[in-house]
Amino acid sequence: MKAIWIYSSAATLALGAAGVTAPAHATEAQSETSDQSAAETAANPLLSESPLPFGAPQFDSLTPQHYAEAMERGMTENMAEVQRIANAETAPTFDNTIAAMEGTGNLLTQASLLFFNMASANTNDDIQEIQREFAPRLAAHNNAISLDPALFERVRTIYDQRDTLDLDAEQLRLVERYYTSFTRQGALLEGEARERFAEINERLATLSTLFSQNMINDTGQWTLLLDSEDDLAGLPDTLRAAAARAAADAGHEGQWMITLQRSSVEPFLQFSERRDLRRQAFEAWAARGDNDDAEDNNAIIAETLRLRTERSRLLGYDSFAEFQLADRMARTPQAARDLIERVWTPALARAEEERDAINSIRAAEGADDALAPWDWRYYAERVRQERFNLSQAELRPYFELDNMIAAQFYVAEQLFGLQFEERDDLPVYHPTVRVWEVKDSAGEHIGLFYGDYIARPNKRSGAWMSSYRQQDNLDGETTPIIVNVLSVSGGEPTLLSYNDAETLFHEFGHALHGLLSNVRYPTLSGTSVATDFVEFPAQIYEHWLLTPEVLSRFARHHETDEPMPQELVDRLMASRTFNQGFATVEFLASAFVDLDFHDLTSVPEDFDVGAFEEQTLARIGMPDEMVMRHRPPHFGHIFAGGYSAGYYAYLWSEILDADGFDAFTETGNVFDPATAERLYRFVYSGGNTRDWTEAYVGFRGREPSVEPLLRNRGFGD
Ligand SMILES: [Zn+2]
């Protein structure tokens, strides 16, 4: 049962390019188990407890077949456990039903958490094949559980009596989450509607898998090979070095390769003086998943939207957005729209000013044609240099990966007393992956933290946090095992852009939400919270990167170890609101399209995804020189991840993080112990044990205000 909630909402948090293939809702255990050869079983590390310290995953001996076998057996075991609970003769109680369900599905949860992490971070053909096979089967498995009438009857009985059962606050919350989740997964449906609902879920799991695989494959197919100084015009040394390594790895020694990974193409667009090459790269980047070929995602999108709408209507909602937001902090699509519209107007005005600044540079250069989308990043970088005399190339030497890892740990030590010890005795799935043991201030073990930072062709683009094991105190203490995955261009040493460093902090904020979790029940653990709340602990963590306390200690030149000169710090601070019009408009356009798609109350057979996208962009007045941050055909957040009708959530969470970080600065101490304690108690350790608004108010002492967000983005007066 745990499996249901884990996959559907919590396990993986994305920033950047994509959400996860979060399949898994689930069914019928195929009963073809298991008198397979006993030898095979004995050899499968997933079928017994890991003998490694803290039960760490045995990455050195796991094969794709092991995952498949363990998920297979896990489904069978899980179904038997659930059946025992559902069909028990005894009257339903909290303990024999809800708490008992919390103890089920351990093998399946364990195997699939590991498997789906591998499918995103280190995939191959065998893994992709297993993923295609298991995604719909896991969905069917989850369906069978959440649509089991006997089980739901027990849950409903307990839910109806909940106020008389002498439950504590966490137990009461758990009962409410079970009831809500069952009804949202169709438990109240009957007859044909019930069957159709299950059918739709399985199909949606397959569609999301296909979408995600198309994205990985389409992104990997296109490269731009550069072979002369002429082609490299404008590119800084760090980018040249990364491009040379990428070319060499692909067998093109002596050339330079640009790929469609954000970490490669975005700096290329920023620096390349070759407008023709920028155009080629930009057009390929913007067209990912939209090339009318085997990896084209448009038909998958249309079918996904149609099925999501149909499923929501079966549950009594007008649209998928209404269904989704009913169980979020925002509550209604209108509340989300009100927010993005409030920010859109000042953002658009600011973007227009930015465009004017760019156009005056171009006019001075004698350009007589219109600014194009492949020009914006390049000229924005020029304006940045002119206005702040600040280039990303100047910053990179101060953001060395190892220093930034130390910095993210330092902040956790200051705020929460944590200690991190690197362990080189634990196996990893790729030689660049690192592992740390996390301890509290008393030296007690809290969990394990894995960091997989360097880009690889078989890793999904973007950055995310995920769990190999979630914290709970159900049956003794289960400590969390958490991973951060990023895709930065590796080097000797690895130097980060300022944005990469911010992403590192962001994902580590999610990691702490998993590591510091201190709840009894797995369903309420760590990041298992609403999509529009879950970014808050991640985004607030970014704020510490730019504090003098952190910069002076860790933003040090990788060769000289000199701290970043104060005047460079000043220019960096002054430039923070630079190009925020562009960044905000780019983001909000994707958020509008997401909400518009999912506000549809019916989706016709011949639904034209591209035309719909254009309509929305026209309605909001999207400038011609800009393209939305994620166009639908590669918008993994909403078609292959957990952010459907929820991309606005990043901005929603930003209200919370901007307002929340002010709680520290108002005290004059960015590590203020009392504020840190409340942040720990109500947010990082609390999982889903409280209503989200209540959790925020517990930390902040009042409801959030939108003003700090507008101020931070430079949209104040
Ligand atoms: Zn995030």
Side-chain angles (χ1 to χ4, degrees), residues 13-15 463-465 506-507 510 534-535 538-539 542 643 650:
L13 296 160
L15 173 112
W464 63 93
M465 164 273 191
H506 176 103
E507 297 307 335
H510 283 310
V534 77
E535 293 304 324
Q539 290 182 180
E542 296 171 24
Y643 288 79
Y650 289 97

Side-chain angles (χ1 to χ4, degrees), residues 26 52 173 257 259 295 431 464 498 523 536 662 701:
L52 295 171
R173 175 81 172 169
M257 194 165 91
T259 71
E295 283 81 36
W464 63 93
Y498 171 66
T523 289
F536 168 49
D662 277 6

Side-chain angles (χ1 to χ4, degrees), residues 563-637:
M564 191 184 282
Q566 189 55 43
E567 62 81 27
L568 181 55
V569 174
D570 293 343
R571 280 186 285 134
L572 173 59
M573 295 310 227
S575 71
R576 287 199 68 206
T577 55
F578 175 73
N579 213 33
Q580 277 299 307
F582 173 85
T584 309
V585 164
E586 186 193 50
F587 166 86
L588 288 176
S590 286
F592 273 118
V593 168
D594 171 32
L595 280 178
D596 281 3
F597 271 146
H598 292 116
D599 262 346
L600 289 169
T601 52
S602 71
V603 179
E605 283 295 328
D606 59 350
F607 183 69
D608 185 337
V609 173
F612 189 86
E613 172 190 356
E614 275 175 35
Q615 241 172 51
T616 292
L617 296 177
R619 173 174 58 79
I620 62 177
M622 182 74 169
D624 293 339
E625 305 83 354
M626 293 171 67
V627 170
M628 55 201 291
R629 186 169 173 87
H630 307 282
R631 290 197 48 241
H634 46 258
F635 202 169
H637 289 83

